Amino acid sequence: MSALNGEKISIVHWFSDLETHQCGYCKNQTGSVSYGMWAERLNVEDYQNLIDRGWRRSGMYCYKPMMHLTCCPQYTIKCSVQDFKLSKSQKKVIKRFNKFVTNGTGQKDIGDASNVADDSTPHEPIMVREKPNVVFDYSKFVNSDIKMESIGDHSNPSCSSTVRIETSCARDDVEKTVVEKHSVGPDLCKAPCKKAKILRIERKQQKLRAKGITLEKAPPVNEAKTLEEFLNEIPATSKYKFKTKLVASADIENELDTIKMIEFQLYRKYQMAIHNDPPEKCTVASFTRFLISSPLERVRVRGNSSAVTFGSFHQQYWLDDELIAVAVLDILPRCVSSVYFFYDPDYRFLTLGTYGSLREVQFVQSLSKSVPALKFYYMGFYIHSCPKMRYKGKLNSSFLLCPETYQWFPIEKCTPKLEKEKYSRLNDDLDALDENLCTSRDIDSIKVWVSYSFTHFGNYKRKYGEEEVFENIGRLVGRKNASSLLFVSTKG
């Protein structure tokens, strides 16, 4: 017997039907088209691979928009935090926030909507489905490692028999070693490019020397402040005390009922004021399904300088003893993925949506010091056809995911294509292929739970068929996830 891939396996329920919903951007009643699956649990590496193929989670439900069918194509977008550069407008947002925290100035008349800066996003549909009514004893898998004993020739899944499932006690913490991948980096033999300001000073000095005028050595030009330095420019004697606090989603759901209700009241206030949701739509149950429940397994990882925990978290923004904003985040092996951000509408004059995204960039920068591979900030979906969603592309440097080859391209090279057509391949190389595409053998190796037992699709299809369903699964999840996910069948 051996542990399956040495880790806890990801368990999902696949919805074979193509789903249509109202579009949250253009309000087309059936314009949003996607496939989805309900996750019993996901390990963080599997979810990282899924979002790198255009997937996104909403609670326990994971979905992938069909880009060529949906009315407003949704492109996965990420920002490289190592190359991030603050714009003037972003600096103004930070300075406005810091000024308010320091002395309480800068507040506008909240009662006058015309004076309020509004950087809220369109009301994205809450893509949540209930768990399918399938006979599956999940309690056997909780806090357990799945181990399997093969019966027959496992080297050829189409000829092997079923596999028996056994469980054993799992460790509370899973320790991993993160392997740092070093890029080639800049050419150290070449001098770095000089800024225009420095070049102007040097030209002026040359002209003066030509006239016989000698000047003292100019003082060195100060280096630009980092994002962290800008964010932390709040004196200890400030009027308000501001802090952020990171809380695991599971702790909010299972232990901290008081914090859960504080968050819920803030969420309800935000949804009703910003997105005009009716009160009956904003329930504790819907809030829990959407933003607290998560299939991601928490994993503690030893980094270069300190330990980092992967999984789902809420980053809370506290002003004195008042919760003013919450960022729902997934910390994954190579990125932090933004799930949702909500805030107190009374503080919208602080442009908290933009401020929160800058805080999250800096959060990724801090994590990358311990886990070098974790160097991207995923902002969800970029919808170029919706002008109000284009703000995500203002984080420099940002990249969009090609919906056909699943390779990343700088957003400035993608926008001319998206100006011409809503849907674009993005990759100019017409010969480029999806390198993570499943072969027929990969599809036959997909793991299936059916009739209280575990088998591969190569065996499953002999009795139940569903070749088209599983070929579609292979196309959508890719080879990496096809070999690691366990799909619970409704058959049997």
Side-chain angles (χ1 to χ4, degrees), residues 60-96:
M60 306 288 283
Y61 180 66
C62 301
Y63 63 100
K64 177 179 169 59
M66 294 294 94
M67 304 280 282
H68 60 294
L69 298 176
T70 191
C71 55
C72 298
Q74 299 151 271
Y75 297 85
T76 301
I77 183 171
K78 71 177 181 180
C79 172
S80 172
V81 301
Q82 293 180 337
D83 303 319
F84 177 77
K85 294 180 179 63
L86 272 169
S87 68
K88 289 184 179 180
S89 62
Q90 290 164 348
K91 291 177 183 178
K92 288 180 180 178
V93 170
I94 296 174
K95 289 178 180 178
R96 184 190 304 124

mmCIF file of all heavy atoms in Angstrom, residues 60-96:
data_model
loop_
_atom_site.group_PDB
_atom_site.id
_atom_site.type_symbol
_atom_site.label_atom_id
_atom_site.label_comp_id
_atom_site.label_asym_id
_atom_site.label_seq_id
_atom_site.Cartn_x
_atom_site.Cartn_y
_atom_site.Cartn_z
ATOM 1 N N MET A 60 -17.733 26.414 -1.776
ATOM 2 C CA MET A 60 -17.283 25.060 -2.110
ATOM 3 C C MET A 60 -17.444 24.755 -3.604
ATOM 4 O O MET A 60 -17.055 23.687 -4.061
ATOM 5 C CB MET A 60 -18.089 24.033 -1.308
ATOM 6 C CG MET A 60 -18.085 24.247 0.190
ATOM 7 S SD MET A 60 -16.513 23.857 0.982
ATOM 8 C CE MET A 60 -16.583 22.067 1.025
ATOM 9 N N TYR A 61 -18.042 25.678 -4.322
ATOM 10 C CA TYR A 61 -18.341 25.476 -5.736
ATOM 11 C C TYR A 61 -17.233 26.087 -6.599
ATOM 12 O O TYR A 61 -16.820 27.230 -6.394
ATOM 13 C CB TYR A 61 -19.684 26.124 -6.074
ATOM 14 C CG TYR A 61 -20.109 25.982 -7.516
ATOM 15 C CD1 TYR A 61 -20.422 24.743 -8.054
ATOM 16 C CD2 TYR A 61 -20.197 27.106 -8.347
ATOM 17 C CE1 TYR A 61 -20.828 24.608 -9.371
ATOM 18 C CE2 TYR A 61 -20.596 26.979 -9.665
ATOM 19 C CZ TYR A 61 -20.904 25.731 -10.175
ATOM 20 O OH TYR A 61 -21.300 25.608 -11.475
ATOM 21 N N CYS A 62 -16.730 25.316 -7.558
ATOM 22 C CA CYS A 62 -15.702 25.793 -8.494
ATOM 23 C C CYS A 62 -16.295 25.838 -9.896
ATOM 24 O O CYS A 62 -17.018 24.915 -10.291
ATOM 25 C CB CYS A 62 -14.482 24.869 -8.482
ATOM 26 S SG CYS A 62 -13.685 24.711 -6.871
ATOM 27 N N TYR A 63 -16.001 26.876 -10.637
ATOM 28 C CA TYR A 63 -16.595 27.014 -11.964
ATOM 29 C C TYR A 63 -15.589 27.592 -12.955
ATOM 30 O O TYR A 63 -14.651 28.295 -12.579
ATOM 31 C CB TYR A 63 -17.847 27.897 -11.915
ATOM 32 C CG TYR A 63 -17.592 29.333 -11.483
ATOM 33 C CD1 TYR A 63 -17.493 30.364 -12.412
ATOM 34 C CD2 TYR A 63 -17.466 29.661 -10.135
ATOM 35 C CE1 TYR A 63 -17.263 31.669 -12.018
ATOM 36 C CE2 TYR A 63 -17.243 30.968 -9.732
ATOM 37 C CZ TYR A 63 -17.140 31.963 -10.669
ATOM 38 O OH TYR A 63 -16.905 33.264 -10.274
ATOM 39 N N LYS A 64 -15.801 27.265 -14.217
ATOM 40 C CA LYS A 64 -14.942 27.735 -15.308
ATOM 41 C C LYS A 64 -15.814 28.320 -16.412
ATOM 42 O O LYS A 64 -16.575 27.593 -17.056
ATOM 43 C CB LYS A 64 -14.101 26.586 -15.866
ATOM 44 C CG LYS A 64 -13.228 26.967 -17.062
ATOM 45 C CD LYS A 64 -12.401 25.782 -17.532
ATOM 46 C CE LYS A 64 -11.737 26.058 -18.879
ATOM 47 N NZ LYS A 64 -10.851 27.232 -18.850
ATOM 48 N N PRO A 65 -15.747 29.634 -16.638
ATOM 49 C CA PRO A 65 -16.544 30.245 -17.705
ATOM 50 C C PRO A 65 -16.141 29.706 -19.071
ATOM 51 O O PRO A 65 -14.956 29.480 -19.344
ATOM 52 C CB PRO A 65 -16.215 31.738 -17.587
ATOM 53 C CG PRO A 65 -15.681 31.911 -16.201
ATOM 54 C CD PRO A 65 -14.981 30.636 -15.878
ATOM 55 N N MET A 66 -17.129 29.487 -19.921
ATOM 56 C CA MET A 66 -16.873 29.108 -21.306
ATOM 57 C C MET A 66 -16.698 30.400 -22.105
ATOM 58 O O MET A 66 -17.660 31.052 -22.500
ATOM 59 C CB MET A 66 -18.026 28.271 -21.850
ATOM 60 C CG MET A 66 -18.189 26.921 -21.187
ATOM 61 S SD MET A 66 -16.780 25.800 -21.523
ATOM 62 C CE MET A 66 -15.725 26.080 -20.099
ATOM 63 N N MET A 67 -15.461 30.758 -22.308
ATOM 64 C CA MET A 67 -15.108 32.085 -22.824
ATOM 65 C C MET A 67 -15.724 32.388 -24.182
ATOM 66 O O MET A 67 -16.127 33.518 -24.454
ATOM 67 C CB MET A 67 -13.587 32.199 -22.906
ATOM 68 C CG MET A 67 -12.887 31.940 -21.592
ATOM 69 S SD MET A 67 -12.947 33.364 -20.531
ATOM 70 C CE MET A 67 -11.666 34.351 -21.261
ATOM 71 N N HIS A 68 -15.792 31.379 -25.055
ATOM 72 C CA HIS A 68 -16.290 31.612 -26.408
ATOM 73 C C HIS A 68 -17.817 31.655 -26.452
ATOM 74 O O HIS A 68 -18.391 32.002 -27.490
ATOM 75 C CB HIS A 68 -15.775 30.526 -27.359
ATOM 76 C CG HIS A 68 -16.195 29.142 -26.981
ATOM 77 N ND1 HIS A 68 -15.761 28.520 -25.830
ATOM 78 C CD2 HIS A 68 -17.018 28.262 -27.601
ATOM 79 C CE1 HIS A 68 -16.288 27.316 -25.756
ATOM 80 N NE2 HIS A 68 -17.067 27.133 -26.816
ATOM 81 N N LEU A 69 -18.478 31.302 -25.345
ATOM 82 C CA LEU A 69 -19.944 31.282 -25.307
ATOM 83 C C LEU A 69 -20.530 32.403 -24.456
ATOM 84 O O LEU A 69 -21.630 32.874 -24.734
ATOM 85 C CB LEU A 69 -20.442 29.934 -24.760
ATOM 86 C CG LEU A 69 -20.086 28.682 -25.568
ATOM 87 C CD1 LEU A 69 -20.575 27.434 -24.841
ATOM 88 C CD2 LEU A 69 -20.683 28.756 -26.969
ATOM 89 N N THR A 70 -19.825 32.814 -23.417
ATOM 90 C CA THR A 70 -20.364 33.804 -22.496
ATOM 91 C C THR A 70 -20.387 35.190 -23.133
ATOM 92 O O THR A 70 -19.556 35.509 -23.995
ATOM 93 C CB THR A 70 -19.551 33.827 -21.188
ATOM 94 O OG1 THR A 70 -20.242 34.603 -20.217
ATOM 95 C CG2 THR A 70 -18.173 34.410 -21.403
ATOM 96 N N CYS A 71 -21.358 36.012 -22.705
ATOM 97 C CA CYS A 71 -21.527 37.335 -23.318
ATOM 98 C C CYS A 71 -20.390 38.280 -22.965
ATOM 99 O O CYS A 71 -20.010 39.146 -23.763
ATOM 100 C CB CYS A 71 -22.864 37.941 -22.885
ATOM 101 S SG CYS A 71 -23.084 38.017 -21.094
ATOM 102 N N CYS A 72 -19.836 38.151 -21.769
ATOM 103 C CA CYS A 72 -18.736 39.009 -21.311
ATOM 104 C C CYS A 72 -17.571 38.125 -20.897
ATOM 105 O O CYS A 72 -17.488 37.696 -19.734
ATOM 106 C CB CYS A 72 -19.187 39.887 -20.138
ATOM 107 S SG CYS A 72 -20.515 41.036 -20.542
ATOM 108 N N PRO A 73 -16.668 37.779 -21.830
ATOM 109 C CA PRO A 73 -15.567 36.854 -21.533
ATOM 110 C C PRO A 73 -14.758 37.302 -20.318
ATOM 111 O O PRO A 73 -14.423 38.471 -20.177
ATOM 112 C CB PRO A 73 -14.727 36.882 -22.810
ATOM 113 C CG PRO A 73 -15.695 37.267 -23.875
ATOM 114 C CD PRO A 73 -16.639 38.231 -23.235
ATOM 115 N N GLN A 74 -14.461 36.332 -19.440
ATOM 116 C CA GLN A 74 -13.772 36.599 -18.180
ATOM 117 C C GLN A 74 -12.367 36.004 -18.233
ATOM 118 O O GLN A 74 -12.196 34.788 -18.200
ATOM 119 C CB GLN A 74 -14.572 35.997 -17.025
ATOM 120 C CG GLN A 74 -15.972 36.597 -16.894
ATOM 121 C CD GLN A 74 -16.970 35.624 -16.314
ATOM 122 O OE1 GLN A 74 -17.609 34.863 -17.037
ATOM 123 N NE2 GLN A 74 -17.125 35.628 -15.000
ATOM 124 N N TYR A 75 -11.370 36.863 -18.306
ATOM 125 C CA TYR A 75 -9.981 36.440 -18.420
ATOM 126 C C TYR A 75 -9.317 36.453 -17.046
ATOM 127 O O TYR A 75 -9.361 37.457 -16.338
ATOM 128 C CB TYR A 75 -9.214 37.355 -19.375
ATOM 129 C CG TYR A 75 -9.720 37.328 -20.789
ATOM 130 C CD1 TYR A 75 -10.784 38.143 -21.189
ATOM 131 C CD2 TYR A 75 -9.161 36.476 -21.732
ATOM 132 C CE1 TYR A 75 -11.263 38.111 -22.482
ATOM 133 C CE2 TYR A 75 -9.644 36.433 -23.039
ATOM 134 C CZ TYR A 75 -10.692 37.254 -23.402
ATOM 135 O OH TYR A 75 -11.170 37.213 -24.696
ATOM 136 N N THR A 76 -8.712 35.347 -16.681
ATOM 137 C CA THR A 76 -7.976 35.292 -15.428
ATOM 138 C C THR A 76 -6.826 36.283 -15.485
ATOM 139 O O THR A 76 -6.082 36.334 -16.465
ATOM 140 C CB THR A 76 -7.441 33.879 -15.166
ATOM 141 O OG1 THR A 76 -8.540 32.962 -15.127
ATOM 142 C CG2 THR A 76 -6.700 33.803 -13.843
ATOM 143 N N ILE A 77 -6.664 37.078 -14.428
ATOM 144 C CA ILE A 77 -5.640 38.126 -14.400
ATOM 145 C C ILE A 77 -4.772 37.968 -13.156
ATOM 146 O O ILE A 77 -5.261 37.608 -12.085
ATOM 147 C CB ILE A 77 -6.278 39.539 -14.441
ATOM 148 C CG1 ILE A 77 -5.193 40.625 -14.490
ATOM 149 C CG2 ILE A 77 -7.244 39.758 -13.284
ATOM 150 C CD1 ILE A 77 -5.737 42.020 -14.752
ATOM 151 N N LYS A 78 -3.476 38.203 -13.321
ATOM 152 C CA LYS A 78 -2.571 38.165 -12.181
ATOM 153 C C LYS A 78 -1.573 39.312 -12.284
ATOM 154 O O LYS A 78 -1.319 39.861 -13.360
ATOM 155 C CB LYS A 78 -1.821 36.826 -12.124
ATOM 156 C CG LYS A 78 -0.772 36.622 -13.215
ATOM 157 C CD LYS A 78 -0.037 35.285 -13.023
ATOM 158 C CE LYS A 78 1.032 35.075 -14.098
ATOM 159 N NZ LYS A 78 1.749 33.786 -13.919
ATOM 160 N N CYS A 79 -1.026 39.679 -11.134
ATOM 161 C CA CYS A 79 -0.032 40.749 -11.052
ATOM 162 C C CYS A 79 1.253 40.179 -10.471
ATOM 163 O O CYS A 79 1.218 39.460 -9.465
ATOM 164 C CB CYS A 79 -0.554 41.889 -10.170
ATOM 165 S SG CYS A 79 0.664 43.172 -9.784
ATOM 166 N N SER A 80 2.374 40.490 -11.099
ATOM 167 C CA SER A 80 3.676 40.082 -10.581
ATOM 168 C C SER A 80 4.101 41.086 -9.512
ATOM 169 O O SER A 80 4.404 42.240 -9.826
ATOM 170 C CB SER A 80 4.707 40.031 -11.711
ATOM 171 O OG SER A 80 6.011 39.822 -11.187
ATOM 172 N N VAL A 81 4.131 40.666 -8.252
ATOM 173 C CA VAL A 81 4.405 41.614 -7.170
ATOM 174 C C VAL A 81 5.865 42.040 -7.138
ATOM 175 O O VAL A 81 6.207 43.096 -6.591
ATOM 176 C CB VAL A 81 3.991 41.028 -5.803
ATOM 177 C CG1 VAL A 81 2.503 40.693 -5.793
ATOM 178 C CG2 VAL A 81 4.822 39.808 -5.438
ATOM 179 N N GLN A 82 6.751 41.242 -7.715
ATOM 180 C CA GLN A 82 8.165 41.613 -7.739
ATOM 181 C C GLN A 82 8.418 42.786 -8.684
ATOM 182 O O GLN A 82 9.349 43.567 -8.478
ATOM 183 C CB GLN A 82 9.016 40.409 -8.151
ATOM 184 C CG GLN A 82 8.997 39.281 -7.115
ATOM 185 C CD GLN A 82 9.844 38.102 -7.538
ATOM 186 O OE1 GLN A 82 10.113 37.893 -8.723
ATOM 187 N NE2 GLN A 82 10.260 37.301 -6.570
ATOM 188 N N ASP A 83 7.586 42.911 -9.713
ATOM 189 C CA ASP A 83 7.752 43.984 -10.692
ATOM 190 C C ASP A 83 6.750 45.115 -10.476
ATOM 191 O O ASP A 83 6.638 46.002 -11.322
ATOM 192 C CB ASP A 83 7.573 43.424 -12.113
ATOM 193 C CG ASP A 83 8.547 42.298 -12.404
ATOM 194 O OD1 ASP A 83 9.710 42.409 -12.002
ATOM 195 O OD2 ASP A 83 8.133 41.302 -13.016
ATOM 196 N N PHE A 84 6.025 45.086 -9.369
ATOM 197 C CA PHE A 84 4.960 46.055 -9.150
ATOM 198 C C PHE A 84 5.507 47.473 -8.992
ATOM 199 O O PHE A 84 6.512 47.692 -8.319
ATOM 200 C CB PHE A 84 4.156 45.678 -7.904
ATOM 201 C CG PHE A 84 3.070 46.668 -7.569
ATOM 202 C CD1 PHE A 84 1.893 46.684 -8.295
ATOM 203 C CD2 PHE A 84 3.245 47.591 -6.553
ATOM 204 C CE1 PHE A 84 0.896 47.605 -8.004
ATOM 205 C CE2 PHE A 84 2.257 48.501 -6.252
ATOM 206 C CZ PHE A 84 1.082 48.516 -6.982
ATOM 207 N N LYS A 85 4.831 48.422 -9.643
ATOM 208 C CA LYS A 85 5.206 49.830 -9.557
ATOM 209 C C LYS A 85 3.962 50.640 -9.217
ATOM 210 O O LYS A 85 2.926 50.506 -9.866
ATOM 211 C CB LYS A 85 5.815 50.312 -10.877
ATOM 212 C CG LYS A 85 7.149 49.661 -11.228
ATOM 213 C CD LYS A 85 7.677 50.207 -12.548
ATOM 214 C CE LYS A 85 9.023 49.591 -12.898
ATOM 215 N NZ LYS A 85 8.933 48.138 -13.105
ATOM 216 N N LEU A 86 4.076 51.484 -8.204
ATOM 217 C CA LEU A 86 2.971 52.341 -7.798
ATOM 218 C C LEU A 86 2.753 53.464 -8.799
ATOM 219 O O LEU A 86 3.711 54.095 -9.252
ATOM 220 C CB LEU A 86 3.252 52.960 -6.425
ATOM 221 C CG LEU A 86 2.828 52.180 -5.182
ATOM 222 C CD1 LEU A 86 3.425 52.829 -3.949
ATOM 223 C CD2 LEU A 86 1.314 52.116 -5.069
ATOM 224 N N SER A 87 1.502 53.720 -9.144
ATOM 225 C CA SER A 87 1.159 54.863 -9.984
ATOM 226 C C SER A 87 0.887 56.076 -9.089
ATOM 227 O O SER A 87 0.726 55.946 -7.871
ATOM 228 C CB SER A 87 -0.071 54.548 -10.833
ATOM 229 O OG SER A 87 -1.219 54.418 -10.012
ATOM 230 N N LYS A 88 0.804 57.252 -9.696
ATOM 231 C CA LYS A 88 0.528 58.464 -8.926
ATOM 232 C C LYS A 88 -0.839 58.397 -8.263
ATOM 233 O O LYS A 88 -1.002 58.790 -7.108
ATOM 234 C CB LYS A 88 0.615 59.691 -9.845
ATOM 235 C CG LYS A 88 2.028 60.037 -10.293
ATOM 236 C CD LYS A 88 2.028 61.311 -11.122
ATOM 237 C CE LYS A 88 3.450 61.679 -11.550
ATOM 238 N NZ LYS A 88 3.461 62.926 -12.374
ATOM 239 N N SER A 89 -1.837 57.895 -8.997
ATOM 240 C CA SER A 89 -3.176 57.814 -8.424
ATOM 241 C C SER A 89 -3.224 56.833 -7.259
ATOM 242 O O SER A 89 -3.942 57.057 -6.275
ATOM 243 C CB SER A 89 -4.186 57.409 -9.503
ATOM 244 O OG SER A 89 -3.886 56.123 -10.020
ATOM 245 N N GLN A 90 -2.447 55.738 -7.342
ATOM 246 C CA GLN A 90 -2.417 54.771 -6.246
ATOM 247 C C GLN A 90 -1.723 55.358 -5.020
ATOM 248 O O GLN A 90 -2.139 55.111 -3.879
ATOM 249 C CB GLN A 90 -1.715 53.489 -6.706
ATOM 250 C CG GLN A 90 -2.532 52.694 -7.717
ATOM 251 C CD GLN A 90 -1.714 51.657 -8.457
ATOM 252 O OE1 GLN A 90 -0.473 51.650 -8.396
ATOM 253 N NE2 GLN A 90 -2.391 50.774 -9.175
ATOM 254 N N LYS A 91 -0.685 56.151 -5.236
ATOM 255 C CA LYS A 91 -0.022 56.829 -4.119
ATOM 256 C C LYS A 91 -0.990 57.788 -3.427
ATOM 257 O O LYS A 91 -0.993 57.906 -2.192
ATOM 258 C CB LYS A 91 1.210 57.596 -4.615
ATOM 259 C CG LYS A 91 2.357 56.712 -5.070
ATOM 260 C CD LYS A 91 3.506 57.556 -5.603
ATOM 261 C CE LYS A 91 4.629 56.680 -6.143
ATOM 262 N NZ LYS A 91 5.739 57.489 -6.715
ATOM 263 N N LYS A 92 -1.818 58.467 -4.213
ATOM 264 C CA LYS A 92 -2.798 59.391 -3.639
ATOM 265 C C LYS A 92 -3.801 58.660 -2.759
ATOM 266 O O LYS A 92 -4.207 59.169 -1.704
ATOM 267 C CB LYS A 92 -3.523 60.150 -4.750
ATOM 268 C CG LYS A 92 -2.662 61.194 -5.461
ATOM 269 C CD LYS A 92 -3.466 61.906 -6.547
ATOM 270 C CE LYS A 92 -2.611 62.947 -7.259
ATOM 271 N NZ LYS A 92 -3.371 63.626 -8.350
ATOM 272 N N VAL A 93 -4.220 57.469 -3.192
ATOM 273 C CA VAL A 93 -5.162 56.680 -2.398
ATOM 274 C C VAL A 93 -4.553 56.327 -1.042
ATOM 275 O O VAL A 93 -5.198 56.453 0.011
ATOM 276 C CB VAL A 93 -5.579 55.401 -3.154
ATOM 277 C CG1 VAL A 93 -6.351 54.451 -2.240
ATOM 278 C CG2 VAL A 93 -6.421 55.755 -4.373
ATOM 279 N N ILE A 94 -3.285 55.887 -1.058
ATOM 280 C CA ILE A 94 -2.607 55.525 0.194
ATOM 281 C C ILE A 94 -2.434 56.749 1.089
ATOM 282 O O ILE A 94 -2.685 56.691 2.305
ATOM 283 C CB ILE A 94 -1.241 54.879 -0.102
ATOM 284 C CG1 ILE A 94 -1.430 53.561 -0.858
ATOM 285 C CG2 ILE A 94 -0.474 54.625 1.195
ATOM 286 C CD1 ILE A 94 -0.136 52.914 -1.311
ATOM 287 N N LYS A 95 -2.016 57.870 0.500
ATOM 288 C CA LYS A 95 -1.804 59.084 1.297
ATOM 289 C C LYS A 95 -3.108 59.582 1.903
ATOM 290 O O LYS A 95 -3.133 60.052 3.050
ATOM 291 C CB LYS A 95 -1.170 60.163 0.418
ATOM 292 C CG LYS A 95 0.281 59.874 0.043
ATOM 293 C CD LYS A 95 0.835 60.955 -0.873
ATOM 294 C CE LYS A 95 2.291 60.671 -1.238
ATOM 295 N NZ LYS A 95 2.843 61.699 -2.168
ATOM 296 N N ARG A 96 -4.206 59.481 1.146
ATOM 297 C CA ARG A 96 -5.501 59.895 1.678
ATOM 298 C C ARG A 96 -5.890 59.032 2.876
ATOM 299 O O ARG A 96 -6.380 59.530 3.900
ATOM 300 C CB ARG A 96 -6.577 59.803 0.601
ATOM 301 C CG ARG A 96 -7.951 60.308 1.062
ATOM 302 C CD ARG A 96 -9.049 59.985 0.070
ATOM 303 N NE ARG A 96 -8.744 60.523 -1.248
ATOM 304 C CZ ARG A 96 -8.690 59.788 -2.349
ATOM 305 N NH1 ARG A 96 -8.905 58.486 -2.287
ATOM 306 N NH2 ARG A 96 -8.420 60.334 -3.502
#
